[in-house]
Amino acid sequence: MISISIIGSGNVAQHLISAFLKAENLELVQVYSRNPNTLSHLLDATKIVSDYVQLKDVDLYLIAVSDDAIATVSSQLPFANKLVVHTSGSVALEDLSSTNRKGVFYPLQTFTKNKEVNFKEIPLCLEAENETDLQLLKKVAMAISDKAFEITSEQRKSLHVAAVFVNNFVNHLYQIGNDICKEHNVPFEILKPLILETANKITTLSPEQAQTGPAKRKDTTTITKHLAILTDANQKEIYKILTKSIIDNGKL
């Protein structure tokens, strides 16, 4: 049985709490939270602490706080030579305090409050300073997910940038599409099957193979008509940038 304590109580922490509680061979011993009430719906009060000195000795301490707070939190932990990992996609392994052994346990997924996710499908990106700690992280990862990857800090930074493009930027484009529909009194609901089919295609095709549309066809007539419809200057600029990027794709 691998014993774990989580430091943090935000979205990532809460989803990990749920996953660990369901897993065999893992024991969630404690969770640190500055406001214990935020976790009362998930845990018994005896498992929630609000002072680092109350943390018991466990196999793994998992820091799930904002990126800016990771270094500070790791430096405040009142013990040494324990395995301490963070869950960030953009923070380097070296940002953790050298007082303890370092690692990364990064779940590459978007987490939303009160929206359940299937952890078995979530890729977990792992990194550690030595092989023994890496193997322990792999055991923890495989207890909650079917997808564990050994990823270096540099690879993880690149992966995080890529994730921003395919998740955050794409969702912003959904917002723009929704705004255009509202402006012209068209139900956004009509676009949802298209959104789902587009996302589903890349499970069998590469993004390049799946690309369609006027920019792919270099259909300048349609592109000009689209730009004429757009009344927002920001939307026009985004349309032009993305259109040029699609047209230029593959060019040296």
Side-chain angles (χ1 to χ4, degrees), residues 2 6 63 142 179 181:
I2 299 173
I6 295 176
I63 298 175
M142 296 308 293
D179 291 343
C181 285

Side-chain angles (χ1 to χ4, degrees), residues 2 21 60 69 73 83 85 96 101 107 113-114 130-131 144 146-147 199 211 218 226 231-232 243 249:
I2 299 173
L21 289 175
L60 172 64
V73 169
L83 180 54
V85 307
L96 290 166
R101 307 192 315 275
K113 188 176 180 180
N114 298 325
N130 63 69
E131 186 61 25
I144 62 174
D146 293 331
K147 301 177 180 181
Q211 186 68 59
K218 297 182 176 59
H226 286 174
T231 58
D232 183 277
T243 295
N249 186 48

Side-chain angles (χ1 to χ4, degrees), residues 6 11-17 19-20 62-65 67 70 85-90 104-111 117-127 141 144-145 147-149 151 156 159-160 163 167:
I6 295 176
N11 281 337
V12 175
Q14 291 192 28
H15 280 90
L16 284 169
I17 288 169
F20 288 154
L62 194 150
I63 298 175
V65 299
D67 290 359
I70 289 172
V85 307
H86 69 67
T87 60
S88 171
S90 60
V104 178
F105 192 91
Y106 169 49
L108 204 167
Q109 184 55 277
T110 176
F111 294 100
V117 296
N118 179 11
F119 245 96
K120 285 295 181 182
E121 296 295 324
I122 295 178
L124 296 171
C125 302
L126 313 175
E127 185 179 8
I144 62 174
S145 174
K147 301 177 180 181
F149 301 87
I151 301 290
R156 186 162 34 83
L159 193 60
H160 194 255
N167 176 40

Side-chain angles (χ1 to χ4, degrees), residues 134-148:
L134 181 62
Q135 290 305 314
L136 185 142
L137 291 181
K138 286 182 178 179
K139 288 179 182 178
V140 174
M142 296 308 293
I144 62 174
S145 174
D146 293 331
K147 301 177 180 181

Side-chain angles (χ1 to χ4, degrees), residues 7-61:
I7 300 166
S9 57
N11 281 337
V12 175
Q14 291 192 28
H15 280 90
L16 284 169
I17 288 169
S18 297
F20 288 154
L21 289 175
K22 297 173 185 175
E24 297 181 4
N25 303 320
L26 299 182
E27 179 189 6
L28 183 60
V29 177
Q30 290 175 307
V31 178
Y32 168 88
S33 174
R34 287 180 296 180
N35 181 6
N37 291 332
T38 60
L39 300 175
S40 59
H41 64 295
L42 289 174
L43 289 169
D44 186 273
T46 59
K47 286 184 174 287
I48 306 171
V49 299
S50 55
D51 192 324
Y52 294 138
V53 299
Q54 296 175 286
L55 290 169
K56 298 177 181 179
D57 185 27
V58 295
D59 298 315
L60 172 64
Y61 296 88

